[in-house]
Amino acid sequence: MPESAVAMLDERGTVVAWTQAAERLLGYSAGDVVGRSAALVLPSSGETPTISALIEQCRAQNDWSGMMTVRHRDGRMLDLNHRISTLRGQDGTFRWLVSATDIGTLSRDAGNGSVRESLLTHAPIGIVVRDPQLRCVWVNDTIESHDGISRDRRLGRRITESLPGFEAEALEAVMQQALRNGTTAVHEYRVWPTEDPRREHAFSVSYFCLQDADGTTLGVCCISVDVTGNQRTRERFAILSQARTRIGSTLDIMQTGQELADLAVPLLADYAYVDLGESVPFGEEPPTRIDTMSGRPPVFLRAGQASIHPGVPESSFAPGETVFVPATLPHAGVLRTGRSYLEPVLDTSPGAWIDHDPTRAQKIREHGTHSLMIVPIIARRAVLGIALFLRTEDPVPFHEDDLLLAEELVTRAALSLDNARQYTREHTAALALQRNLLPHRLMGGAAVEAAWRYLPADTEAGVGGDWFDVIPLSGARVALVVGDVVGHGINAAATMGRLRTAVRTLADLEMPPDELLARLDGTFQRLAEADVDAADQAPTVVGATCLYAVYDPITRRCTMARAGHPPPAIIDPQGRVTFPDLPTGSPLGIGLGVPFEAVELELPEGTLLALYTDGLIEARDHDIDVGMRRLAAALAQPDRALEDLCTRATQPRPRQAPSDDVTLLLVRTRSLNPAQVASWTLPNDRTAVRSARHMAARQLTEWGLEGLQDPTQLIVSELVTNAIRHSTGPIGLRLIQHQVLTCEVFDTDANSPRLRHARAIDENGRGLFLVTQLSRRWGTRPESGGKVIWADLDSAPSHG
């Protein structure tokens, strides 16, 4: 800050007091100038006013400022911005106080803002000159408007005598410091001026030690400047700075509303609350304007409230409660127009608008609410709600600058609220989409008993692309699937749904796991390419992992392959846990072209098989191996119920929220009793048809399924006939009794049959049509050396 030089002149223009700051600026010591005319520092130029002209100018104006060129002691010229103020003493005497600042210094400091702090601005300044005993000896007229003390009460008295109190003692302490050190001191204080008793003012006072010719201290000069505007500007910036860190700390809408209320109290208001449209906390799109003139008043939710009093006694509502806004309140006008409302002095007289809502009126009168501001919360031209600011204990009414500050706070909060609203909408949509796409029931059939857990990550990233499935296959087998799309949000959830559908479609083609993953990889890449709208646009989802396994309860063999996914956990009936060494495979959609490999394992009956996503085993504070060991420990009790094991395995760690979705598919394997399976090998000739019919009928009788003999014999006849017609090797026939009755016919022809619609004159082509009519479903699957055609029939009485 540029330093001001201060000197005092008598009525003839003679220097009677000098300061060290003046010596530093002009080079003259007190001994050089005190007692001499001020013309000493004026250059001898026709353009420079004489000292007599300056005196006449000072007599004509009590306060005069301008620019003047003066002479430094070394002879160089300085351009000074000066101010001359008239001081009055007892018995009508007067003096002039001159304060000056180098214009060059002001120009250099303008870039960093110091110039606005200069005492030589055009704002009125109050001046008091006190003797070494701190008694007032000279004073200007302006100072009375600062503290309300008249000249008569001030002259001859110390400040502690004319304005007793703690602040006066503090001011005198600063004056004494200036007298002792002979330097300039600065102090700020606050008072309630008589001219503006409702508003607290801040003053900055500079204290200059005045010296006579021999350097003796004559007293202290106090120059007071009203810096209320600057003070409030600093306070305003401080509040707005806090808003950047305190509002919008999360993507929770209700918490953001509470943060706005918490910041406003007590910095701006004694009581504040935030009401949001009832649909906003659920992420729905708000209206551009809210209709307040219809018969039904608008409905809001109290999102946040704060008070200087514990428990917020001013409020009739708790956070989260429904709030109605009658059309007769100014709140409704704010919602309708989108413009703020300021009532500096709240009208609480009978019949005022507050009486249109008796509950609010009672609270307002009970707590002495006397000033009010209502600010609409607007984002992208849509009204999200309103924020109210009230004063009760603070006697100062709200002013226009308070409203501007409130509007800036609300504008910042509105951005955070709208971001939170959009996040909530996307998060809710993604979660709903994901839950709708995931299976609601798992049908393990005769192959497995299944249970599962899906825990969406409770983080700002949103839900992810985890999926799982249990898919019934032919021959009592079952497919087990777990996958994880890279990324979070609605794009990941949508991609998950498409991949799950693709897996189910490919599973119906009865592909082995390695071939299915290869086909799924190609499908994923095509889906990603189709999502690119422009050549330079990157796909929204960049990859996925998957584990696909097929379990056969007849052979108790499980074939599995994975595409970059964590290996399954296998827990044998004795509780031993292993993670099989499966070839990792590359994630789907990466396009590496590396073939997938399948591994076949034999599983004892009652084996637990755990398929999961990496969210279950990964954490920021430990390696994956630690997570896998924790999972193994949780599952090493295979005799417990699957639901209990799922709960144990997915129990969150204390004080650690999941950073990714957690998915666990847990199955316990079953096996079919050999008595539930009957198989035969038939010759490839026409005698095989009659033999197949008789063997099937006899087996159904043993199983107590005589009611299925006729449709089963017809199906067996058609499938064996078809095998004889299209293959050359031996023919296999197998019946499986489980939830359904399955008929399977094996032949050496790799080509799958095709259902045709035979015409009335055709002799062939009706076999598969008949199978379709008699069975629940039918299909084919490839087998080593040929294929299997199968058909399922709904069972009559189940086996014992």
Side-chain angles (χ1 to χ4, degrees):
M1 174 178 172
E3 186 178 31
S4 295
V6 174
M8 193 161 65
L9 312 179
D10 65 12
E11 66 273 11
R12 294 185 301 274
T14 300
V15 178
V16 295
W18 197 247
T19 61
Q20 290 185 7
E23 180 178 350
R24 285 190 291 271
L25 179 62
L26 299 176
Y28 296 97
S29 66
D32 295 330
V33 296
V34 173
R36 302 178 66 178
S37 172
L40 174 68
V41 299
L42 298 177
S44 53
S45 170
E47 299 179 357
T48 303
T50 62
I51 190 63
S52 58
L54 285 174
I55 291 173
E56 290 302 319
Q57 182 76 33
C58 293
R59 289 181 183 275
Q61 300 177 4
N62 286 335
D63 200 45
W64 178 52
S65 61
M67 189 181 73
M68 178 185 296
T69 301
V70 299
R71 183 174 51 237
H72 193 274
R73 185 176 184 178
D74 61 12
R76 57 192 171 92
M77 298 300 169
L78 300 175
D79 291 328
L80 300 183
N81 195 344
H82 73 283
R83 186 165 191 162
I84 302 176
S85 303
T86 302
L87 305 181
R88 305 186 189 278
Q90 292 177 331
D91 303 326
T93 56
F94 64 90
R95 292 286 187 270
W96 285 301
L97 189 85
V98 181
S99 54
T101 304
D102 185 359
I103 290 179
T105 304
L106 287 172
S107 300
R108 289 192 298 272
D109 290 341
N112 62 21
S114 296
V115 69
R116 68 175 180 267
E117 300 289 342
S118 173
L119 296 177
L120 299 177
T121 61
H122 294 291
I125 62 174
I127 303 174
V128 177
V129 176
R130 298 182 180 276
D131 63 18
Q133 288 72 43
L134 302 183
R135 294 186 297 261
C136 176
V137 291
W138 302 98
V139 65
N140 75 340
D141 295 336
T142 304
I143 191 63
E144 183 175 348
S145 66
H146 286 188
D147 55 20
I149 304 173
S150 66
R151 187 191 312 162
D152 293 338
R153 282 179 52 205
R154 194 187 308 267
L155 287 169
R157 294 184 176 90
R158 294 171 56 169
I159 190 171
T160 51
E161 297 170 339
S162 55
L163 184 66
F166 173 77
E167 192 68 51
E169 295 177 0
L171 293 175
E172 283 201 348
V174 180
M175 295 180 208
Q176 290 169 348
Q177 177 186 354
L179 290 173
R180 284 194 306 269
N181 300 333
T183 57
T184 302
V186 179
H187 180 71
E188 288 194 4
Y189 69 98
R190 296 167 179 262
V191 295
W192 302 83
T194 55
E195 294 184 357
D196 190 8
R198 291 184 170 182
R199 176 180 294 193
E200 184 183 52
H201 282 241
F203 292 93
S204 177
V205 187
S206 297
Y207 299 96
F208 302 88
C209 180
L210 298 175
Q211 298 175 334
D212 65 4
D214 60 3
T216 303
T217 298
L218 295 175
V220 60
C221 174
C222 314
I223 299 180
S224 174
V225 181
D226 190 339
V227 293
T228 302
N230 291 339
Q231 181 72 17
R232 287 181 179 163
T233 298
R234 288 194 294 269
E235 291 174 351
R236 181 173 180 172
F237 281 122
I239 294 174
L240 293 176
S241 177
Q242 290 189 50
R244 285 193 290 268
T245 57
R246 290 178 57 183
I247 298 178
S249 61
T250 70
L251 287 173
D252 184 285
I253 294 177
M254 302 295 279
Q255 181 171 337
T256 302
Q258 184 62 49
E259 289 170 346
L260 172 57
D262 288 338
L263 179 61
V265 176
L267 296 178
L268 179 61
D270 295 333
Y271 167 49
Y273 66 79
V274 176
D275 287 345
L276 299 176
E278 61 176 338
S279 63
V280 172
F282 302 103
E284 298 180 18
E285 193 73 27
T288 303
R289 289 292 181 267
I290 296 178
D291 181 13
T292 61
M293 305 304 292
S294 62
R296 180 177 179 269
V299 180
F300 293 85
L301 293 178
R302 179 61 50 87
Q305 56 188 18
S307 169
I308 59 174
H309 300 114
V312 196
E314 301 92 336
S315 177
S316 302
F317 303 94
E321 285 190 346
T322 302
V323 179
F324 294 93
V325 177
T328 53
L329 301 186
H331 310 53
V334 171
L335 293 169
R336 188 170 57 253
T337 64
R339 292 192 295 270
S340 300
Y341 175 84
L342 169 63
E343 192 168 346
V345 180
L346 186 60
D347 184 2
T348 59
S349 61
W353 65 261
I354 64 172
D355 287 331
H356 295 158
D357 188 332
T359 302
R360 282 187 173 92
Q362 179 184 353
K363 289 287 186 180
I364 286 174
R365 293 190 174 104
E366 177 183 346
H367 295 281
T369 303
H370 64 84
S371 193
L372 170 142
M373 296 187 297
I374 308 175
V375 180
I377 304 173
I378 300 176
R380 296 185 297 113
R381 300 183 179 181
V383 178
L384 304 180
I386 53 177
L388 276 84
F389 308 90
L390 302 99
R391 280 183 176 166
T392 55
E393 301 293 333
D394 187 345
V396 181
F398 288 122
H399 289 268
E400 289 292 339
D401 54 351
D402 295 314
L403 182 61
L404 290 174
L405 175 57
E407 288 177 335
E408 289 191 43
L409 283 178
V410 171
T411 297
R412 293 175 185 240
L415 178 61
S416 297
L417 285 167
D418 192 55
N419 289 339
R421 182 194 60 78
Q422 294 187 68
Y423 164 76
T424 298
R425 180 179 61 183
E426 179 173 333
H427 183 273
T428 301
L431 189 57
L433 175 63
Q434 187 168 31
R435 286 178 171 168
N436 286 333
L437 291 173
L438 291 174
H440 299 284
R441 288 184 61 198
L442 297 180
M443 304 297 293
V448 296
E449 174 193 0
W452 58 274
R453 286 291 186 277
Y454 168 65
L455 305 177
D458 188 17
T459 67
E460 297 180 2
V463 298
D466 287 11
W467 90 91
F468 60 93
D469 217 340
V470 176
I471 306 171
L473 302 177
S474 63
R477 298 170 307 133
V478 67
L480 310 172
V481 192
V482 166
D484 185 2
V485 175
V486 174
H488 295 84
I490 198 166
N491 286 330
T495 302
M496 173 273 292
R498 298 161 81 180
L499 286 179
R500 178 173 180 252
T501 301
V503 170
R504 277 192 161 261
T505 301
L506 295 173
D508 285 343
L509 299 178
E510 302 277 3
M511 295 180 179
D514 52 344
E515 184 178 342
L516 182 142
L517 289 180
R519 295 282 292 273
L520 185 63
D521 184 34
T523 300
F524 193 168
Q525 294 184 52
R526 288 191 295 274
L527 288 174
E529 292 169 359
D531 287 339
V532 179
D533 298 325
D536 58 348
Q537 180 178 338
T540 55
V541 178
V542 296
T545 64
C546 183
L547 173 65
Y548 185 83
V550 175
Y551 174 69
D552 188 340
I554 298 176
T555 63
R556 291 184 288 104
R557 302 195 71 81
C558 183
T559 307
M560 57 185 72
R562 59 178 175 144
H565 202 81
I570 299 177
I571 303 92
D572 68 18
Q574 288 72 44
R576 292 185 291 268
V577 183
T578 58
F579 293 89
D581 185 17
L582 301 181
T584 304
S586 61
L588 304 173
I590 302 301
L592 298 180
V594 179
F596 298 97
E597 298 181 52
V599 171
E600 187 176 77
L601 304 172
E602 184 173 344
L603 304 178
E605 182 177 4
T607 297
L608 289 181
L609 194 60
L611 283 65
Y612 53 90
T613 56
D614 55 10
L616 182 62
I617 58 173
E618 285 185 346
R620 297 185 179 94
D621 59 347
H622 60 66
D623 295 333
I624 290 180
D625 291 344
V626 176
M628 294 174 73
R629 287 195 296 270
R630 184 180 295 114
L631 174 63
L635 298 178
Q637 302 180 46
D639 55 334
R640 298 186 64 162
L642 293 186
E643 290 293 333
D644 292 343
L645 290 172
C646 280
T647 300
R648 283 171 51 87
T650 57
Q651 192 72 31
R653 297 179 62 194
R655 299 181 300 277
Q656 181 176 342
S659 58
D660 195 4
D661 290 4
V662 171
T663 298
L664 172 65
L665 173 61
L666 191 59
V667 301
R668 179 178 283 121
T669 63
R670 296 166 173 159
S671 63
L672 290 182
N673 190 307
Q676 294 176 251
V677 181
S679 58
W680 304 271
T681 300
L682 304 172
N684 195 326
D685 58 41
R686 296 208 172 265
T687 61
V689 176
R690 178 184 295 273
S691 299
R693 289 169 58 90
H694 289 315
M695 289 186 291
R698 187 168 56 250
Q699 186 62 56
L700 292 180
T701 300
E702 291 184 13
W703 285 340
L705 299 178
E706 292 87 349
L708 295 181
Q709 284 185 354
D710 290 344
T712 301
Q713 286 182 311
L714 288 172
I715 289 174
V716 167
S717 296
E718 295 298 334
L719 296 182
V720 171
T721 300
N722 190 69
I724 294 171
R725 181 177 296 121
H726 297 286
S727 66
T728 57
I731 298 169
L733 171 63
R734 185 167 72 167
L735 299 181
I736 307 171
Q737 181 199 15
H738 50 115
Q739 274 81 4
V740 295
L741 176 67
T742 299
C743 302
E744 294 182 342
V745 173
F746 169 84
D747 63 50
T748 57
D749 179 26
N751 296 317
S752 297
R754 182 169 55 90
L755 179 64
R756 295 185 297 169
H757 295 281
R759 295 172 298 174
I761 59 175
D762 291 339
E763 295 183 5
N764 300 312
R766 296 181 178 85
L768 290 180
F769 179 76
L770 178 61
V771 172
T772 302
Q773 298 299 310
L774 295 175
S775 64
R776 179 180 183 180
R777 62 176 189 149
W778 72 276
T780 66
R781 67 173 183 270
E783 286 280 338
S784 177
K787 69 174 183 299
V788 170
I789 306 177
W790 56 269
D792 288 341
L793 291 84
D794 287 320
S795 295
S798 61
H799 64 279

